[in-house]
Amino acid sequence: MSDNQAILDVILENIRDAVVLTDGERRLLRVNKAFEALTGHTAAHLLDRSGEDAGAAHDQLLRAMTVNDGGRWQGAIRCADGADRLFDVTVSAVNGTAAFPTHYLGLLRHSSGEESRRFGHDDLTGLPNRDIFADRVDQAVLQVNRSGGSVALLLMGLDRFTMVNDALGHGAGDRLLIEVARRLRHNIRETDTAVRLEGDRFALVMSIAGTDDSVIVAEKMLKAVREPFAIDGQEVVVTFSIGIAIYPQDAASGVALVKQAENALHHAKVSGRNQYQFFSKDMNRKARLRLDLEARLRRALANEEFAVYYQPKVRAADNRIVGAEALVRWLDPEKGMVSPGEFIPVAEETGLIEPIGSWVLRRSCQQTKAWQDLGLHRVKVSVNVSARQFRSRTLVDTVVGILEETGLDPRWLELEITESMLMNDVEAAVRKMTALRELGLGLSIDDFGTGYSSLSYLGRFPITTLKIDRAFIADVDSNPKTAEIARAIIGLSRGLNLEVVAEGAEVEDHVTFLRDNGCDTVQGYYYSRPVPADQFERMLTEGVVRHL
Ligand code: C2E
Ligand code: MG
Ligand code: MG
């Protein structure tokens, strides 16, 4: 028996055919070396189902092995590079002396290129092929017609691919295309479709909420491909040219959309490659503005062109300042003051929000501590935290570091976050908030009432303050329904034993309403606009504000 086992091992590991072996219950027992070479999965990964790709391949294999003795299964199996490739599996039962099979043996073979094509997959890269492409475009268009939104079609061509092919040979060219496909797959969402059209042409079909989304993806694609590839021990650098068209903005049908994206791609190629071009001139202009803004933001960070302004939070009963919201301002030497509404979204997408946010936090803590050291009236400072900052794994460490460095007592610091940041992953949000609260600082929900959070969650979040969105304050004096909502939020925060702050109080009627309804702390133009540090320092010297 052990002799047989040894013989079997040698055979399995040395034959060129890829082999899968299961027991009589069709539980996976082993795969051989040829199988690893063919699919990229090692036996260990497959058996442990480690990772998404190995898990998928494991399940697909077991499905393949359920055909009868002598039967043949054809279907896609997920390879280790994430691509679905078409395989034939021929299954034989091993009966031995038993009545029922004790094992099943599967022989795995790549389906022919012709079969793969019919199946809708590109044999080389494992991406969907041209046949599926038209169908995906049509589906996306139908989906938009039914439920709104837009479709972005990105057509992408590798620049100078023929040069790589000529210099290094077709084998190297093929390996490059496989690597490009892998990077594409890693940079798109589950719901997007990446396609290999032919040669060095790829396409991406995606549904988007706003046209800005396509800019973000196009930039991601350019960047993903620009990183050098290691092909046959050589470093190969290639770039993409990308043409973008958007349905329904640029075209009235799927076919027309493809045509416009082709026009845009042509335009990108002749305008110098390594870039994307939109079909519409207006989008090109917007994309350029955005790129320009990003470059200026990077410079602004290096040159410290930011400032923190402070807006008082006032106790309505006696006009005493109880806190300040720190609001970032960008003093661009060319364009003057740029409002955060304009640059925070771009900073968020590009990741610049992390260094900018840390800078604002550090400056606000430093400043607040300096005012305390001057013996001025003590107030709490509230700093806004964006979605990306909140998700960042380093947020807690950053806050700890800044508190240590500036020596500010954490009870004088509050972070403002918005509802929408909390709802994706409630568990993770609660963990992070708890860690922050354990440092001794306060947590406020900003713009409360505008999100779609379920009230039932509110009690689970370890927050200290609710901040009523200014949309509700704006017409409390004229709209009875809004007034009722504002009253309800105030009541809710009482019930949950939270502080409540109203933002955007602009006129005396707002303040009167809030005071009469039990909202003690008020922020808004009625008392003061956000002001530079030196002006706020003068306010602190008095400790109270009168409205302007
Ligand atoms: P927010 O946190 O809700 O800040 C309140 C905004 O309302 C501020 O706009 C403030 O100037 C404005 N405001 C205050 N009182 C009134 C009023 O009586 N009437 C009206 N109409 N507006 C009032 P700002 O400074 O332009 O900031 C806009 C948003 O940008 C902020 O909304 C916040 O979400 C974000 N932001 C500002 N600074 C930072 C920052 O340092 N980091 C991050 N991540 N976001 C920031
Ligand atoms: Mg805020
Ligand atoms: Mg707000």
Side-chain angles (χ1 to χ4, degrees), residues 325 384 416 446 467 503:
E325 177 167 11
N384 293 284
E416 293 193 2
D446 202 354
K467 205 165 173 191
E503 67 178 4

Side-chain angles (χ1 to χ4, degrees), residues 347-348 351-358 361 385-400 415 417 421-422 424 428-429 431-433 435-436:
E348 204 31 44
L352 285 169
I353 192 67
E354 298 205 27
I356 296 176
S358 303
L361 183 65
V385 171
S386 79
R388 183 154 176 167
Q389 281 175 281
F390 185 72
R391 274 200 314 270
S392 157
R393 254 184 286 139
T394 54
L395 176 69
V396 178
D397 289 343
T398 304
V399 174
V400 171
L415 299 181
I417 54 191
M421 301 178 194
L422 309 177
N424 285 340
R431 272 199 302 279
K432 182 152 292 179
M433 294 168 91
L436 288 168

Side-chain angles (χ1 to χ4, degrees), residues 311 325 328-329 340 360 384 446-447 470 503-504 506 525 530:
Q311 186 178 33
E325 177 167 11
V328 68
R329 294 293 178 262
V360 172
N384 293 284
D446 202 354
D447 305 338
R470 66 168 179 269
E503 67 178 4
E506 294 186 347
Y525 294 170

Side-chain angles (χ1 to χ4, degrees), residues 85-155:
R85 292 198 176 76
L86 190 65
F87 291 94
D88 287 329
V89 182
T90 313
V91 179
S92 317
V94 183
N95 268 65
T97 51
F100 296 103
T102 56
H103 296 84
Y104 289 92
L105 192 80
L107 281 181
L108 201 76
R109 193 173 62 75
H110 229 147
S111 301
S112 74
E114 181 50 41
E115 282 167 319
S116 286
R117 260 193 302 289
R118 262 192 278 119
F119 171 70
H121 271 66
D122 168 47
D123 199 36
L124 181 67
T125 63
L127 288 178
N129 66 12
R130 188 176 260 296
D131 299 340
I132 284 195
F133 172 61
D135 188 54
R136 290 295 160 87
V137 173
D138 290 343
Q139 273 177 22
V141 162
L142 277 177
Q143 177 67 29
V144 165
N145 292 346
R146 230 177 292 132
S147 10
S150 308
V151 181
L153 174 60
L154 279 69
L155 286 187

Side-chain angles (χ1 to χ4, degrees), residues 195-486:
V195 174
R196 178 170 176 231
L197 294 173
E198 76 238 319
D200 62 24
R201 285 284 171 94
F202 295 86
L204 191 60
V205 188
M206 48 186 253
S207 39
I208 52 173
T211 43
D212 269 4
D213 290 356
S214 51
V215 178
I216 299 162
V217 174
E219 279 173 5
K220 228 156 96 180
M221 293 296 145
L222 288 181
K223 198 164 147 222
V225 142
R226 213 182 290 141
E227 298 287 315
F229 291 91
I231 304 292
D232 300 348
Q234 288 243 28
E235 192 168 280
V236 178
V237 180
V238 287
T239 52
F240 254 154
S241 292
I242 305 180
I244 310 173
I246 294 171
Y247 177 87
Q249 187 178 303
D250 298 338
S253 70
V255 176
L257 185 66
V258 175
K259 191 98 218 113
Q260 310 299 45
E262 273 165 6
N263 287 335
L265 174 58
H266 175 73
H267 196 57
K269 288 254 183 204
V270 297
S271 335
R273 300 152 196 262
N274 188 21
Q275 58 174 285
Y276 55 90
Q277 287 284 336
F278 281 92
F279 173 72
S280 94
K281 295 215 170 46
D282 191 42
M283 278 300 294
N284 276 331
R285 196 180 49 81
K286 279 197 197 132
R288 259 198 307 281
L289 282 178
R290 196 182 163 282
L291 264 185
D292 176 55
L293 181 62
E294 184 187 335
R296 285 191 294 127
L297 261 183
R298 285 186 198 281
R299 190 205 53 202
L301 195 59
N303 300 351
E304 294 228 358
E305 292 168 15
F306 297 107
V308 178
Y309 276 37
Y310 299 86
Q311 186 178 33
K313 297 186 184 179
V314 177
R315 190 160 67 201
D318 56 4
N319 291 347
R320 231 177 145 64
I321 303 177
V322 293
E325 177 167 11
L327 294 158
V328 68
R329 294 293 178 262
W330 174 16
L331 306 162
D332 183 342
E334 294 161 37
K335 314 223 160 162
M337 187 135 89
V338 188
S339 85
E342 238 173 283
F343 68 86
I344 296 274
V346 175
E348 204 31 44
E349 284 156 17
T350 53
L352 285 169
I353 192 67
E354 298 205 27
I356 296 176
S358 303
W359 184 87
V360 172
L361 183 65
R362 182 174 298 110
R363 173 52 58 90
S364 310
C365 291
Q366 255 166 12
Q367 185 59 264
T368 306
K369 177 73 164 80
W371 283 328
Q372 294 183 349
D373 290 348
L374 280 175
L376 297 177
H377 175 63
R378 293 193 170 211
V379 297
K380 192 160 43 176
V381 69
S382 306
V383 180
N384 293 284
V385 171
S386 79
R388 183 154 176 167
Q389 281 175 281
F390 185 72
R391 274 200 314 270
S392 157
R393 254 184 286 139
T394 54
L395 176 69
V396 178
D397 289 343
T398 304
V399 174
V400 171
I402 289 176
L403 284 170
E404 267 171 19
E405 182 190 322
T406 58
L408 181 71
D409 183 335
R411 72 187 154 116
W412 297 109
L413 175 65
E414 177 179 76
L415 299 181
E416 293 193 2
I417 54 191
T418 58
E419 291 162 77
S420 53
M421 301 178 194
L422 309 177
M423 301 320 281
N424 285 340
D425 186 348
V426 173
E427 299 297 324
V430 169
R431 272 199 302 279
K432 182 152 292 179
M433 294 168 91
T434 308
L436 288 168
R437 289 279 292 121
E438 277 166 2
L439 302 178
L441 46 86
L443 284 179
S444 167
I445 304 234
D446 202 354
D447 305 338
F448 187 74
T450 54
Y452 39 83
S453 63
S454 133
L455 288 182
S456 61
Y457 279 124
L458 210 53
R460 292 184 52 194
F461 295 125
I463 50 172
T464 50
T465 309
L466 281 188
K467 205 165 173 191
I468 312 173
D469 190 69
R470 66 168 179 269
F472 297 110
I473 308 305
D475 45 48
V476 279
D477 46 343
S478 57
N479 186 339
K481 283 200 179 130
T482 319
E484 207 43 61
I485 295 175

